[in-house]
Amino acid sequence: AAVPPSMPPRPQAAAPPPRRLGLAPLMLLASIALGMASREWSEVLPSFVARYAGDTLWAAAVYWLLAWLVKRWSRTSIAAAALWIAFGVELSQLLQPAWLQALRGTRLGGLILGHGFLLSDLACYAVGVWSALLVDATLARRPLEHHTNQEEIE
């Protein structure tokens, strides 16, 4: 009996460029610092920036935190999880139990959990996560002139 010709190997999809994980904590700190600055100096910023930058940068910080902590996830998985977290936190602002209000009354709790539901915050979160995803992907595509080993870029 004739042996059927073997099928050619299926081409493998190209792996996405590696994330530079060392940048994730730096981007997280930058997002937090810029977000805090946008609140602190809101009176000197254009009103649009003062109104929306903090929430946009908060969502970007969630993306960078996940990128730093969950190294094996793809960028799109990180972005999806960051959106779920951000939207969940915003929707939780519709809940008003005393313990949650007390937590929101602290500086850290208020910064993380927010104070009142706003539909515009959902748009800010989408823009913040999308922007962080684009920055992450763009940085991964840049030449690696200064990196000498694979561990530094993964």
Side-chain angles (χ1 to χ4, degrees), residues 41-120:
W41 294 299
S42 60
E43 66 278 350
V44 298
L45 294 171
S47 63
F48 182 84
V49 173
R51 183 174 295 141
Y52 301 116
D55 294 315
T56 303
L57 288 160
W58 181 90
V62 172
Y63 177 94
W64 292 115
L65 178 64
L66 291 174
W68 183 29
L69 296 178
V70 192
K71 295 168 178 58
R72 297 186 188 274
W73 285 8
S74 69
R75 287 177 190 86
T76 53
S77 294
I78 291 168
L83 274 177
W84 274 103
I85 291 168
F87 281 28
V89 167
E90 189 66 23
L91 291 171
S92 79
Q93 293 171 18
L94 296 171
L95 304 172
Q96 302 293 318
W99 67 270
L100 194 51
Q101 289 301 89
L103 185 57
R104 286 187 183 115
T106 66
R107 178 148 173 90
L108 184 60
L111 288 170
I112 294 171
L113 300 174
H115 293 284
F117 177 83
L118 291 172
L119 200 54
S120 62

Side-chain angles (χ1 to χ4, degrees), residues 11-25:
Q12 294 194 2
R19 264 198 323 277
R20 293 188 179 146
L21 297 177
L23 287 177

